[in-house]
Amino acid sequence: MIKADYREQLIAVGKELYLRGLQTTRSGNLSVRIGDQFLITKTGSNLGRLSESDLISVETRQCATIPGGASCESPVHRSIYNAADARAIVHAHPIHAIALAQISNGDNIRPIHNEGLVGLKQIPIVGTTVPGEDSGEEPDAITTALSEWCSVVVRNHGAFTVGTSPDQALYKMLLLEDTCHMVFLVQSVKSAQLSKHPATPTRNRSSLKWRGAR
């Protein structure tokens, strides 16, 4: 596949993410690996209206200089490509995934439906390294998670998914958000049911027997 085809795929994926509400106009980033380089979106680019000029080529070599204007998450993408068997990466800000990670006490989210279990197995959660900042995350925890799984949620930030193509990385992101939405709804319903029907305190049987004997 020639580089122009990859550019068209990234443009299509960006538009789909925006239409699905997984991006604002200036958030998230996409990339696809082509040999010893990868194409990545420019920093601040509108994923819903990408053009070929919004895609920058970056070398996968760890010591290579990252061109100016490339996404601030370029070091994360480079680290993933060097550590994992990934050909494409999607970074988005799915609302339910972010919310669920925030209220979760564990280090992963477990899907509750068959497609999620097959396609994701589980979704690891890692902490953000740039709380309150609009800058790139430290790659280590994200890269470690994506070396074993196809997705990861970064608390207070967003999610990353990998795939063998931009389309597959997109599918994993859509599946991640659908999965988190389902888990979020189930937890909300259970919480509401518990608040309406609190558990009845168990009476002390020996005390009741003693009272009856009197």
Side-chain angles (χ1 to χ4, degrees), residues 127-207:
T128 181
T129 57
V130 287
E133 298 180 27
D134 187 19
S135 58
E137 295 280 353
E138 290 295 326
D140 293 348
I142 296 170
T143 300
T144 298
L146 292 176
S147 296
E148 184 173 2
W149 310 101
C150 64
S151 67
V152 62
V153 179
V154 183
R155 277 194 175 97
N156 308 115
H157 185 166
F160 288 82
T161 56
V162 297
T164 57
S165 67
D167 280 344
Q168 189 185 59
L170 168 65
Y171 165 70
K172 298 294 185 181
M173 182 60 70
L174 298 178
L175 181 58
L176 177 148
E177 174 63 352
D178 284 348
T179 296
C180 290
H181 193 178
M182 286 184 205
V183 175
F184 189 88
L185 287 174
V186 169
Q187 289 188 2
S188 298
V189 170
K190 285 183 176 179
S191 178
Q193 288 175 336
L194 287 174
S195 64
K196 287 182 178 179
H197 305 287
T200 303
T202 303
R203 292 188 176 184
N204 187 310
R205 292 186 176 181
S206 61
S207 175

Side-chain angles (χ1 to χ4, degrees), residues 104-111 121-126 149 155:
S104 174
N105 293 322
D107 57 4
N108 68 80
I109 299 166
R110 178 76 172 170
K121 295 181 174 61
Q122 72 175 34
I123 305 166
I125 302 171
V126 301
W149 310 101
R155 277 194 175 97

